[in-house]
Amino acid sequence: MENNKIEEGKTAAITSYILIIGVLIAMSMNSENKSPFASFHIRQALGLSITFISLGLIISNFDSIMISATMWIFVSVLWTYGIFSAIKGETKPLPLLGNLFQKAFKSI
């Protein structure tokens, strides 16, 4: 991807990783001049936010610190991977789920 195109979308890409509100802000930022780089990271962050909320709803039924801690570590590792990828200007999908997010949210 062109360096100039990456720089244009970098702010929206990084903003998208601020849970669900960041995704909405980034989608708004990326609505006029669509940046493929920002769109890639918005799809990744949207999928990660939905995964976080879904896992939280499921895991809240269990009263186990081990299950909760595992979920938090899993989401934190993916979030860290995603945001550092955006900061470095890379379009690497998140491990395990990234390609699924790209397919599921391809219209964004």
Side-chain angles (χ1 to χ4, degrees), residues 16-47:
S16 69
Y17 286 99
I18 305 170
L19 275 183
I20 197 70
I21 193 74
V23 171
L24 298 174
I25 292 167
M27 287 172 81
S28 170
M29 291 169 67
N30 197 41
S31 63
E32 281 186 33
N33 300 326
K34 285 220 182 261
S35 162
F37 178 75
S39 295
F40 173 86
H41 283 286
I42 290 168
R43 288 190 292 270
Q44 296 291 289
L46 177 61

Side-chain angles (χ1 to χ4, degrees), residues 35-73:
S35 162
F37 178 75
S39 295
F40 173 86
H41 283 286
I42 290 168
R43 288 190 292 270
Q44 296 291 289
L46 177 61
L48 189 57
S49 292
I50 291 170
T51 300
F52 173 70
I53 293 166
S54 302
L55 285 175
L57 289 171
I58 294 166
I59 288 173
S60 66
N61 295 319
F62 300 97
D63 193 23
S64 168
I65 191 71
M66 292 300 289
I67 295 172
S68 297
T70 303
M71 181 207 75
W72 278 98
I73 290 168

